[in-house]
Amino acid sequence: MTYSILLDRFCKHGHLDEALQLLKEMQKRKIEPNIIIDNILIQGMFIAGKLEVAKELFSKLYMDGK
């Protein structure tokens, strides 16, 4: 739950690099993001105009079967 709150705040305040860094840290610790976290990140990237990043995140979801 803490990760989703942090990611939500990072995205809503335009700190997208920090959000992506936190995602990498989660993956490094073997913490798989859930659908809520995935949605927060995709929406944050989309709103910020980082469409390629949003598309990559969405494609990863699709490939992972989520």
Side-chain angles (χ1 to χ4, degrees):
M1 183 159 150
T2 302
Y3 287 110
S4 61
I5 293 169
L6 287 170
L7 288 167
D8 184 60
R9 293 295 158 223
F10 282 149
C11 289
K12 285 184 177 173
H13 293 282
H15 302 285
L16 303 175
D17 290 334
E18 288 90 342
L20 292 173
Q21 186 61 38
L22 183 57
L23 178 64
K24 288 179 185 177
E25 182 65 30
M26 288 173 61
Q27 293 167 337
K28 182 179 172 183
R29 293 177 182 223
K30 307 278 190 245
I31 300 170
E32 285 296 318
N34 59 25
I35 194 69
I36 295 169
I37 288 174
D38 292 328
N39 285 332
I40 289 169
L41 289 168
I42 291 170
Q43 181 181 18
M45 296 302 157
F46 182 79
I47 290 171
K50 295 187 176 265
L51 302 179
E52 285 301 315
V53 177
K55 184 179 172 182
E56 288 173 22
L57 291 169
F58 183 79
S59 293
K60 185 177 180 330
L61 278 177
Y62 182 76
M63 297 303 286
D64 290 346
K66 289 187 180 177

